[in-house]
């Protein structure tokens, strides 16, 4: 495997989940695989779980890790071709990606959507700029439209906690004071397409995700109805896709409550705003899987890095 850019780079989700769980049982079993290799983690946005879990995964494989935070540490990068660079940006991706390729064996990128220009966001200028100009494998640590490491961790979590043969899984929108990207929701939907499950998305009207991603998935605008008899409820906010990047509603009635949760297990990628997105009673319940999900981020990243190193 050359790169890990989206869920579509997984050739067999059950096999990857199984391998990740074996790594979880013995995290340093492949420590010699990464000896003498270096991964560079480049962050264009803030991170807690992604940064620490990917770094831990690399260390488990015996790799050295370099971390750089753009904005506070690096030059501003230009990604457009043919631009006259007489404004604020000091370095072009063409040179930066080639230089990084000399210093490390894998580069991992995290860069959020601007939520102002849909075409530019969907072009994935940062991620694809490194794919185009770097000579080493590229890992997506969350981009404008996808978060495949999170979705793989979610798949591991679902497998570990599924007691039925065909679970009902609900992806529910929830209110948030800020406009948030679609990346986590997009990759979760793509991952669920690979599962044998009853899958439902619920959100207020106007919050439809990209129809190319959600095609054929059941959309239910009544949250309580969608959550009936659910085995897993994954809650996440996202801004409008059609009215791009806009917050159309902050309806507190869409906050996840213990009453709506019922007997389902609760999932969220974190960070989460308590008593805005979800009430305390849910997060503090034994049904909450959020800490397990965060732990599984390490082994999602580790199986990805292992496959890249092996290839």
């Amino acid at each position: 495997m050359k790169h890990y850019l989206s869920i579509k780079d997984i050739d067999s989700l059950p096999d990857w989940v199984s391998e990740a769980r074996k790594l979880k049982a013995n995290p340093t079993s492949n420590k010699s695989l990464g000896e003498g290799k270096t991964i560079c983690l480049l962050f264009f946005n803030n991170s807690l779980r992604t940064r620490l879990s990917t770094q831990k995964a690399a260390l488990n494989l015996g790799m050295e890790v370099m971390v750089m935070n753009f904005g506070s540490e690096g030059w501003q990068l230009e990604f457009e071709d043919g631009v006259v660079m007489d404004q604020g940006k000091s370095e072009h991706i063409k040179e930066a990606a080639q230089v990084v390729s000399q210093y490390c064996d894998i580069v991992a990128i995290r860069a959020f959507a601007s939520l102002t220009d849909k075409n530019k966001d969907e072009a994935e200028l940062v991620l694809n700029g490194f794919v185009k100009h770097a000579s080493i494998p590229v890992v997506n640590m969350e981009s404008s439209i996808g978060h495949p490491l999170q979705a793989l961790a979610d798949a591991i979590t679902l497998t570990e906690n599924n007691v039925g043969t065909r679970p009902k899984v609900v992806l529910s929108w929830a209110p948030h004071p800020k406009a948030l990207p679609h990346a986590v929701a997009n990759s979760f939907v793509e991952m669920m397409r690979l599962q044998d499950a009853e899958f439902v998305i619920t959100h207020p009207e106007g919050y439809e995700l990209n129809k190319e991603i959600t095609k054929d998935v059941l959309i239910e605008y009544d949250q309580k109805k969608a959550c009936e008899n659910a085995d897993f409820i994954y809650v996440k906010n996202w801004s409008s896709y059609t009215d791009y990047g806009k917050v159309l509603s902050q309806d507190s009635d869409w906050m996840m409550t213990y009453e709506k949760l019922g007997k389902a297990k609760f999932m969220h990628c974190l960070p989460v705003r308590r008593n805005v997105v979800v009430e305390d009673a849910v997060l503090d319940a034994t049904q909450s899987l959020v800490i397990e999900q965060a732990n599984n981020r390490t082994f999602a990243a580790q199986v990805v890095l292992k496959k890249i190193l092996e290839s």
Side-chain angles (χ1 to χ4, degrees):
M1 184 175 70
K2 176 63 174 174
H3 305 294
Y4 184 66
L5 308 177
S6 80
I7 284 292
K8 296 174 183 177
D9 291 320
I10 297 176
D11 54 6
S12 171
L13 183 60
D15 288 348
W16 281 45
V17 169
S18 177
E19 189 168 351
R21 294 180 72 189
K22 289 177 182 176
L23 291 171
K24 187 175 182 179
N26 191 358
T28 58
S29 57
N30 300 100
K31 195 149 191 175
S32 62
L33 187 61
E35 286 181 357
K37 303 290 186 182
T38 301
I39 184 171
C40 184
L41 311 182
L42 300 181
F43 290 93
F44 292 81
N45 297 93
N46 295 336
S47 174
L48 173 63
R49 277 150 296 278
T50 298
R51 174 171 177 164
L52 296 181
S53 63
T54 307
Q55 189 165 350
K56 180 65 173 178
L59 293 172
N60 284 345
L61 291 167
M63 301 186 76
E64 298 291 334
V65 182
M66 297 190 294
V67 180
M68 187 170 185
N69 299 296
F70 277 87
S72 61
E73 297 175 341
W75 301 113
Q76 280 194 303
L77 294 185
E78 176 60 66
F79 295 91
E80 301 277 5
D81 288 332
V83 174
V84 177
M85 293 174 58
D86 60 354
Q87 299 298 315
K89 295 179 179 178
S90 304
E91 184 160 15
H92 202 281
I93 182 63
K94 289 183 179 181
E95 289 75 48
Q98 292 178 74
V99 169
V100 169
S101 299
Q102 294 176 321
Y103 299 155
C104 56
D105 302 280
I106 300 173
V107 61
I109 311 292
R110 181 177 175 94
F112 291 169
S114 68
L115 294 179
T116 57
D117 188 322
K118 183 190 292 187
N119 291 331
K120 280 191 174 182
D121 284 347
E122 293 188 335
E124 295 280 29
L125 295 180
V126 180
L127 184 68
N128 287 334
F130 278 92
V131 171
K132 181 178 180 180
H133 298 293
S135 58
I136 56 176
V138 177
V139 174
N140 181 355
M141 295 193 298
E142 187 171 3
S143 63
S144 297
I145 61 172
H147 198 345
L149 285 178
Q150 179 65 55
L152 180 53
D154 296 336
I156 298 166
T157 307
L158 286 169
T159 299
E160 289 180 330
N161 289 276
N162 183 26
V163 295
T165 55
R166 191 171 188 270
K168 179 179 179 181
V169 181
V170 178
L171 172 62
S172 176
W173 180 92
H176 195 284
K178 295 171 60 179
L180 296 186
H182 308 94
V184 171
N186 286 344
S187 289
F188 187 77
V189 172
E190 290 178 331
M191 180 274 291
M192 286 306 304
R193 287 184 165 281
L194 305 176
Q195 301 275 10
D196 181 19
E198 179 186 352
F199 181 47
V200 182
I201 303 173
T202 184
H203 54 71
E205 293 190 42
Y207 278 101
E208 291 78 9
L209 295 163
N210 184 344
K211 292 181 180 179
E212 290 299 308
I213 294 173
T214 62
K215 57 186 176 182
D216 303 325
V217 175
L218 176 62
I219 309 295
E220 173 57 66
Y221 296 110
D222 184 329
Q223 185 190 38
K224 290 183 179 179
K225 182 179 178 182
C227 292
E228 288 176 358
N229 302 314
D231 297 291
F232 298 90
I233 299 177
Y234 196 116
V235 172
K236 185 71 180 79
N237 174 270
W238 58 87
S239 55
S240 175
Y241 179 76
T242 50
D243 194 1
Y244 192 66
K246 298 295 188 295
V247 175
L248 305 180
S249 169
Q250 293 180 331
D251 187 353
S252 61
D253 287 341
W254 277 80
M255 179 180 71
M256 183 52 55
T257 65
Y258 196 75
E259 179 184 1
K260 294 176 193 173
L261 186 68
K263 296 181 180 180
K265 296 193 182 298
F266 175 77
M267 299 178 69
H268 190 284
C269 61
L270 300 182
V272 65
R273 295 189 181 227
R274 284 175 173 259
N275 303 307
V276 176
V277 173
V278 54
E279 68 177 7
D280 284 339
V282 173
L283 281 169
D284 297 334
T286 57
Q287 292 157 253
S288 175
L289 301 179
V290 298
I291 304 303
E292 288 185 46
Q293 284 176 267
N295 187 40
N296 284 333
R297 289 295 308 277
T298 294
F299 306 104
Q302 193 167 335
V303 74
V304 167
L305 297 180
K306 179 176 179 286
K307 287 183 176 294
I308 289 175
L309 289 169
E310 288 174 337
S311 63

